[in-house]
Amino acid sequence: MRWPWQKEETDLDRELRYHLETLADELEKQGMSRADAMKRARREFGGVESVRDQCRDESRWNWLLMTWQDVRFGWRMMKKTPAVTLAAIGTLALGIGATTAVLSLANSMLWKPMGVPEPEQITEIQWEAKEWPEGIVWTTSGGFYQDNGLRIADCFSMDGYRVMRERAASKAEIAAHVFSREVSIGYQGNVAIAHARGVTGNFFSVLGLHPFAGRLLTDQDEAETNALSVVVSYGFWKNQLQGDWNSIGKTITINNFSYVIIGVLPEKFTGISVGDRTDLYTTIEQSPGFLSPEGWYKKARFEPLSWWLQIIARKQPGVTNESLYSVLEPAFAASWATSPKSVEATPRLRVLSAAQGLGVIRRAWGNPVWMLLGLVFTVLVISCANIANLLLARAVEREKEAALRVSLGCSAGRLMRQFFTESLLLAVIGGTLSIVVAMSLGRLMQSLLPTGLGGMRLDLALDPYSLAAAGTVTLLTALLFGLYPAWKATRINASPALKEGSGSANTMSRSRLTPARMLVLVQVSLGVLLVTAAVLFTGRLNEMMTRETGFDRKNAILFNIRPGETGYDAERLPQLYVDVENRLKSVPGVESVGLSVTRPMMGSGSYGPVKGTGQEKNVQSAIHQANADFIQALGIPLLMGRMWTPQESHSGAKLAVVDETITKTLGGNTPLGMQVQIRDDKYEVIGVIRDARYADMEQSTPVAYIPFGYQQMTASVLLRTSAPPMSIFPAIQKAMQEIDRDLPLINVLTMEEQIARTLQRERLFAWLCGSFGVLALVLCVVGLYGLMSHSTARRTSEIGIRMALGASQATVLRQVLREGLSLAFAGLAIGTPIALYAAHLASEQRIIPTGPVPYGTLIVAIGVIALSALVAVLAPAVRASSVDPMQALRRG
C-alpha cells in the first residue's frame, strides 16, 4: 500500500528526471557526450533539491510531511534530555489526569442531564417559609434544608398534590413520588437488599420514558385491587436478574409481598437525582411501606396535615417556571385544611429546574465540587508554569542550534513551529498517560464517596465526554505552556549566539524580572492557596473525626436485621427480638444489647415536634424508638431518672427519655413526670440523658427516645463489648445463626467505621485537597530548584571571576540563597491575600465552617512552603559556592 504523498513524491522524482533527460538529449544532439550533456543539463536546470523543495512547498501534503518531520525531530530532542522529558510528561499526566477526574465528578454531579427526553422541561416543586408552618403541617417525610433564613422542604399532602395536578393540567403534567427506601427482595431463591420507590401511576409518562422491555406503570395500576406490579431499573435487571428477558412476568418478593415484574426501564435513565439508588418502582398504593402493617403512608394518605409526597412536573412547550408558579401557588394554598398561625409560617411555592435531576445531592456537593474544580485547575496552571520553565531552560541550551538554523535560512515561523511541535508532543504523551491517572483517581473517588446506608450510586468511569474533556485540556495545556517558549526560542541574535564563550550566553540578569522568574512567582503564589486548602481540609477532617460525640464510640458494633421482610409476621416478631436480646447477652464479651429503629450515625431518622402539655413552644427533635438497654449500649450517661423496663416496653407504655436540650427548652426544674406531646400521643418523661450526636458528626439535634415497638419490621442492633468488637464477632454471628440461620446480618460495622461513613464527603475533599497541596508543593520546589540550578550553572564563569577577585564561599552562598528566597517570599506575599480571600469565600459558601479567618492554617501553609523553598534553593547555592575559580575561568 502506498500513501498519497508517497505517490506524489514518486511522480515528482519522475518529472524532474524527465526534464533533466530531455535537456541532456538536446545537448547530446549538439555533439556532446552523454556524461557531459548530463553535467551541463544539471548546471542549466539549477539545484535539483531546491526545485524539489519548492515543489514540495506547493504540495497539498506538505503540511503533513513537515509535521511528521517535526515530530520525529522533536522525539530525538526529547530523548537527548530524558530527565526534562520525564519530568514534563509526569507533571502533565498528573495535572491533566487530576483535572479530567474532577471534571468527570463535576459532570456527574452538576451538569449531566437527567436521562429522559427533553429534560429541560422537568421541574421540581418545593415550598419555603420563614418559620415552620405549624397549623397546616404536623407530620412530614421529605427533604429539608435552610437557605438565607428560610426553611425549605419538598413534601406535600395528598390533597395538595391532587389539587395542583388538576389546576395545572393545561400548563404541565404533575406526578408524585416518595423517598427511596431499603427493602428485602427474593428472586429465584436469592435474597438481597434493594431500594424501592413508590410513585404515582403517571410518573413515567411525566418523565417521558419508554420501557426497555415490557411496560411501565400507568394510572390503572394505582387500583389497590390490582395485582402487585413492579418496574425494575436497567442496572437491577442486568445485575440482579442477570439480564434475563424471561424475567418479565415472573414474581419477585419485596418485604414478603409478591410482585409481578412488568417492565424494565431504559438504560439511559439512572434515576431522578444524582446518585439515585432506586432499583424498584411500584405505585404508592402498592409500595411495601404502604402495605406493611405499620405502614406510615397508609395512615398519612388522607390526612391533610401529613405532608409526605414529593412532586415533579413536566411543563408544556413554551411554559415558563413563572407561569407555572402563577397557577400552582393559589392551588397549593387552596389545599390547606386550616390556615397557618402567622405570616412567617405561611409557605410559598418554589418552582425549580430539574434538568440535571432533583437537587438533593447538588445542594450538598455543588459548592465543594466547584471548589475542587478551582483547585485542580490551579494545579494545572502550576504544572504548566513548571513545564514552561523547563522548556525555557532547554531553549536557552539550544540557542546555538537555533542560531545555526536561522543563519542557514530557516524562517522564524518554521523554527517556532518546530519548538511548538515538541511542546505539543509532550502534551499528547502526557495527556495519553493522564487517562490512566484519571481512571485510577476516579476509582479512588468512587471508593471514598458515600455508599451503603444513606449513600449514593455514582458512576465515575471515563465516558466519551470525559475523554473529550481530557483532549481539550491537553490542547489548552500545550498552548498554555508551549507557545511562549517556542516564540522565545525564535527571538535570538544569531551572531552572538554562535560565538563561543560569549558573555551574553553565559550570564543571566539577576536585576530584572525575567519570564522564568515570573513563572516561579506564579507557582509559589498559587502554591500557597493549594497548601492552605490542604492543611484546612485535612485539619477539618481530623477535628470532625475526633469531635466529642456525647457517647462512648469505643468497643461498639452495629448491624441491621430485617425479619419482618424475610418471613416473620406480627405474631412472631416480638419473640424473635426477645430471643435476640437474650442470646446476644449470653455471648462472652457482650455487655449490653440495644435495639432501635434508626441506626446511630446514619445521617437520618424520624423528626417531629416535642411539646410540653399546655405549652405553646416546642422543640423540633429526632424521635427514636429504642429498647430498655439501648442507652447503656450506646454509652450515654443517664443524668436523672431511669429507662423503661422491658415489661413497660412490651406493654406499649407511653414513656420518654429526653436529652438536656429538650429539658432546658421546655423548662421546669423537675422534668421527671412531665407530660410531653410527641406527634399525636402524650408521653411521660421518666429520664434525662446527656446531649449527644445521634445522626452525624456535623450537627447535634435534640433527641427524644420512646420505647421500641417489638413488632417492627426491621431493627438496628447495637452491642457494647468488653473487647475489640470484631474479635468476638464470629461468636456474635454464631449466636444469630442459632436463632435463625436464614436471617442475614446487614451492614456490619464498628461504631468507629459507622462514624467514618458519615464523613465520607469530608474524607474525599480532604484527600483530594491534600493530594493537590502535596503536588503543588513538589512542583513549587522543582520549579524553584530548576530555576536556581540553571541560573547558577550559566553564571559559572561570573561566579569564578568573583571568587578569583576575593569573594568567599560564604558570600556566594548568601547571594544565591538571598536571590532564591527573595523570589519565594515574593510569591508568598502575593499568594497570602489570595489564600485569605479564598478561605473567606469558602466560609461564605459553607464549604468550611463559618468563623474567624484561619490565620493558624495560613501560617502553617506559609511555613511549609518557606521551608520547602529553603531546601530547594540550598542545593544550588552550595553547588555554586563550591565552584573552583580556575576551572570556571577556563570553561568561560
Side-chain angles (χ1 to χ4, degrees):
M1 175 181 177
R2 298 178 66 196
W3 298 105
W5 54 86
Q6 291 175 326
K7 182 178 182 300
E8 194 172 273
E9 189 75 11
T10 302
D11 293 342
L12 177 60
D13 289 339
R14 187 182 299 115
E15 184 175 354
L16 290 174
R17 190 164 55 251
Y18 169 77
H19 285 295
L20 284 173
E21 290 178 353
T22 301
L23 184 57
D25 289 342
E26 293 179 359
L27 292 173
E28 193 175 3
K29 289 177 182 179
Q30 298 176 8
M32 297 180 67
S33 65
R34 187 63 184 178
D36 291 339
M38 286 300 296
K39 290 179 181 179
R40 178 78 176 271
R42 288 192 182 96
R43 284 198 302 269
E44 292 184 4
F45 187 81
V48 174
E49 289 302 322
S50 62
V51 174
R52 190 192 302 274
D53 288 341
Q54 291 175 9
C55 293
R56 284 172 178 162
D57 289 341
E58 299 299 326
S59 170
R60 58 179 175 173
W61 301 106
N62 181 61
W63 65 273
L64 184 60
L65 294 172
M66 298 298 288
T67 300
W68 176 241
Q69 184 183 32
D70 289 343
V71 169
R72 291 174 61 193
F73 182 79
W75 178 249
R76 289 199 301 270
M77 292 297 101
M78 287 165 57
K79 289 197 296 184
K80 285 185 177 181
T81 54
V84 173
T85 301
L86 290 176
I89 291 176
T91 300
L92 280 173
L94 290 173
I96 298 175
T99 304
T100 303
V102 176
L103 279 172
S104 178
L105 176 67
N107 179 55
S108 297
M109 288 193 167
L110 305 179
W111 308 321
K112 190 175 182 179
M114 194 192 307
V116 300
E118 298 178 331
E120 67 279 359
Q121 298 297 325
I122 303 297
T123 59
E124 176 183 6
I125 313 300
Q126 299 178 344
W127 57 263
E128 62 182 34
K130 291 184 178 180
E131 295 180 359
W132 187 256
E134 189 176 355
I136 62 174
V137 180
W138 185 242
T139 56
T140 60
S141 174
F144 305 90
Y145 66 98
Q146 291 193 354
D147 184 26
N148 294 325
L150 294 173
R151 298 172 182 264
I152 301 172
D154 61 2
C155 49
F156 296 87
S157 67
M158 178 63 79
D159 287 346
Y161 158 67
R162 287 175 173 168
V163 173
M164 285 190 283
R165 180 180 178 180
E166 180 181 349
R167 299 275 185 93
S170 62
K171 291 184 177 291
E173 296 179 82
I174 295 180
H177 62 97
V178 295
F179 272 16
S180 178
R181 298 178 182 274
E182 280 193 345
V183 294
S184 299
I185 62 167
Y187 181 75
Q188 294 186 347
N190 297 319
V191 179
I193 299 297
H195 289 77
R197 185 187 298 275
V199 299
T200 53
N202 66 335
F203 181 78
F204 294 117
S205 64
V206 168
L207 291 177
L209 293 175
H210 299 284
F212 174 80
R215 69 174 183 87
L216 302 182
L217 297 170
T218 64
D219 287 329
Q220 286 70 37
D221 291 303
E222 292 184 340
E224 294 184 41
T225 56
N226 288 353
L228 301 182
S229 304
V230 62
V231 173
V232 302
S233 69
Y234 179 87
F236 183 86
W237 174 76
K238 195 74 174 177
N239 299 322
Q240 298 295 329
L241 306 183
Q242 287 77 47
D244 182 10
W245 291 94
N246 296 322
S247 61
I248 307 299
K250 290 186 177 179
T251 299
I252 185 173
T253 302
I254 307 176
N255 288 4
N256 287 334
F257 298 102
S258 295
Y259 289 77
V260 176
I261 302 172
I262 63 171
V264 180
L265 287 164
E267 181 179 4
K268 187 178 179 182
F269 179 72
T270 57
I272 58 175
S273 63
V274 177
D276 193 348
R277 297 175 62 84
T278 306
D279 304 297
L280 312 168
Y281 294 85
T282 68
T283 62
I284 293 174
E285 288 77 4
Q286 294 184 347
S287 65
F290 192 90
L291 297 174
S292 62
E294 76 253 9
W296 185 80
Y297 294 149
K298 183 177 292 186
K299 300 175 184 176
R301 183 182 183 187
F302 299 111
E303 173 53 63
L305 298 184
S306 291
W307 292 17
W308 53 286
L309 287 173
Q310 288 74 53
I311 296 178
I312 60 172
R314 175 178 284 275
K315 298 177 293 185
Q316 300 291 350
V319 176
T320 63
N321 287 351
E322 290 74 18
S323 62
L324 180 59
Y325 171 84
S326 65
V327 175
L328 291 180
E329 174 63 23
F332 174 51
S335 69
W336 303 341
T338 57
S339 298
K341 289 192 174 182
S342 64
V343 175
E344 288 75 14
T346 302
R348 296 177 60 86
L349 276 189
R350 292 162 56 101
V351 180
L352 307 174
S353 172
Q356 286 77 34
L358 307 188
V360 178
I361 299 298
R362 288 200 309 276
R363 282 193 294 272
W365 290 74
N367 288 334
V369 169
W370 278 109
M371 181 208 70
L372 280 181
L373 279 174
L375 293 180
V376 78
F377 278 121
T378 303
V379 171
L380 193 61
V381 170
I382 294 177
S383 302
C384 291
N386 203 332
I387 298 172
N389 245 341
L390 290 173
L391 294 182
L392 281 173
R394 191 166 68 175
V396 171
E397 298 296 333
R398 294 171 60 183
E399 279 183 356
K400 195 167 295 184
E401 171 205 329
L404 183 60
R405 295 177 66 180
V406 169
S407 64
L408 291 176
C410 180
S411 66
R414 180 70 183 84
L415 191 61
M416 183 175 178
R417 188 175 71 179
Q418 171 62 56
F419 276 89
F420 181 69
T421 300
E422 295 178 27
S423 302
L424 189 60
L425 184 59
L426 276 176
V428 169
I429 297 174
T432 303
L433 293 177
S434 73
I435 296 175
V436 179
V437 176
M439 292 174 63
S440 301
L441 189 56
R443 285 193 292 268
L444 178 62
M445 288 193 295
Q446 187 77 58
S447 68
L448 293 175
L449 286 171
T451 55
L453 287 172
M456 59 185 178
R457 183 178 294 152
L458 202 64
D459 183 12
L460 296 182
L462 293 186
D463 54 17
Y465 296 102
S466 301
L467 294 177
T472 303
V473 171
T474 299
L475 181 59
L476 292 175
T477 301
L479 294 172
L480 194 59
F481 75 76
L483 278 180
Y484 179 76
W487 175 82
K488 183 69 176 174
T490 66
R491 311 295 293 178
I492 62 171
N493 190 343
S495 180
L498 289 172
K499 295 178 181 177
E500 287 289 342
S502 172
S504 64
N506 287 305
T507 63
M508 180 174 284
S509 172
R510 290 172 287 118
S511 59
R512 61 191 179 92
L513 195 60
T514 63
R517 294 167 188 265
M518 291 182 63
L519 290 172
V520 171
L521 276 178
V522 170
Q523 287 180 265
V524 175
S525 58
L526 295 179
V528 176
L529 172 64
L530 289 169
V531 175
T532 301
V535 176
L536 193 63
F537 276 87
T538 52
R540 170 167 166 73
L541 176 63
N542 181 66
E543 184 272 329
M544 293 189 71
M545 286 291 292
T546 57
R547 184 177 289 176
E548 176 60 37
T549 58
F551 59 82
D552 186 1
R553 55 202 288 178
K554 303 294 183 183
N555 291 344
I557 189 170
L558 298 132
F559 58 85
N560 286 7
I561 54 176
R562 312 179 74 87
E565 300 173 358
T566 54
Y568 285 83
D569 55 25
E571 294 181 358
R572 297 175 60 200
L573 281 171
Q575 186 58 48
L576 171 70
Y577 287 128
V578 171
D579 292 342
V580 168
E581 288 177 314
N582 295 334
R583 183 65 186 88
L584 290 179
K585 284 180 182 179
S586 66
V587 174
V590 174
E591 295 181 341
S592 53
V593 179
L595 300 178
S596 65
V597 173
T598 305
R599 187 181 180 111
M601 287 291 148
M602 185 181 168
S604 62
S606 177
Y607 295 87
V610 176
K611 185 177 181 180
T613 303
Q615 296 183 358
E616 287 295 325
K617 58 184 177 181
N618 62 67
V619 186
Q620 285 293 324
S621 308
I623 314 298
H624 296 304
Q625 297 184 46
N627 73 337
D629 291 336
F630 182 81
I631 298 299
Q632 179 184 354
L634 190 57
I636 303 178
L638 186 65
L639 301 180
M640 64 177 69
R642 65 177 180 88
M643 284 294 294
W644 44 80
T645 64
Q647 292 75 20
E648 289 172 328
S649 184
H650 283 284
S651 65
K654 301 297 183 181
L655 306 175
V657 172
V658 299
D659 65 8
E660 296 174 278
T661 299
I662 295 177
T663 302
K664 293 175 183 176
T665 305
L666 296 183
N669 297 324
T670 56
L672 301 183
M674 178 188 296
Q675 295 290 318
V676 295
Q677 185 169 334
I678 300 177
R679 296 198 181 99
D680 298 328
D681 295 317
K682 292 183 179 180
Y683 291 80
E684 178 187 352
V685 176
I686 62 171
V688 177
I689 59 172
R690 190 174 70 183
D691 286 342
R693 303 178 191 275
Y694 193 91
D696 54 48
M697 299 294 285
E698 186 70 28
Q699 56 187 354
S700 180
T701 305
V703 180
Y705 294 91
I706 59 178
F708 178 78
Y710 279 79
Q711 291 186 338
Q712 295 291 332
M713 301 283 285
T714 65
S716 174
V717 181
L718 169 64
L719 304 181
R720 171 68 51 189
T721 63
S722 58
M726 295 311 295
S727 65
I728 61 174
F729 178 69
I732 295 171
Q733 194 172 30
K734 181 180 178 181
M736 290 298 297
Q737 288 177 347
E738 291 175 356
I739 298 173
D740 187 344
R741 185 171 295 276
D742 296 325
L743 185 64
L745 310 187
I746 303 168
N747 290 303
V748 180
L749 296 171
T750 66
M751 181 61 77
E752 293 286 3
E753 292 170 336
Q754 183 65 46
I755 290 174
R757 286 283 185 98
T758 70
L759 300 175
Q760 283 179 300
R761 187 185 74 168
E762 286 74 16
R763 288 173 59 204
L764 173 64
F765 290 124
W767 194 94
L768 289 176
C769 290
S771 300
F772 296 160
V774 171
L775 181 57
L777 189 62
V778 171
L779 292 176
C780 289
V781 169
V782 170
L784 191 56
Y785 172 82
L787 175 68
M788 296 311 300
S789 294
H790 184 255
S791 174
T792 54
R794 288 180 57 79
R795 290 165 50 200
T796 301
S797 298
E798 173 196 336
I799 294 172
I801 293 173
R802 289 176 178 273
M803 296 185 72
L805 293 176
S808 65
Q809 288 185 337
T811 302
V812 175
L813 181 66
R814 284 196 301 271
Q815 182 181 354
V816 178
L817 282 175
R818 183 169 59 250
E819 181 182 345
L821 291 179
S822 63
L823 197 61
F825 284 117
L828 289 173
I830 296 172
T832 299
I834 298 175
L836 284 173
Y837 181 68
H840 173 69
L841 285 181
S843 178
E844 277 191 344
Q845 298 297 326
R846 298 182 180 178
I847 300 173
I848 60 175
T850 56
V853 177
Y855 289 111
T857 300
L858 189 61
I859 290 171
V860 171
I862 291 173
V864 169
I865 293 181
L867 183 61
S868 302
L870 177 61
V871 173
V873 175
L874 190 59
V878 170
R879 189 163 55 247
S881 65
S882 303
V883 168
D884 185 342
M886 296 304 295
Q887 292 184 1
L889 291 173
R890 290 194 194 101
R891 191 181 308 164

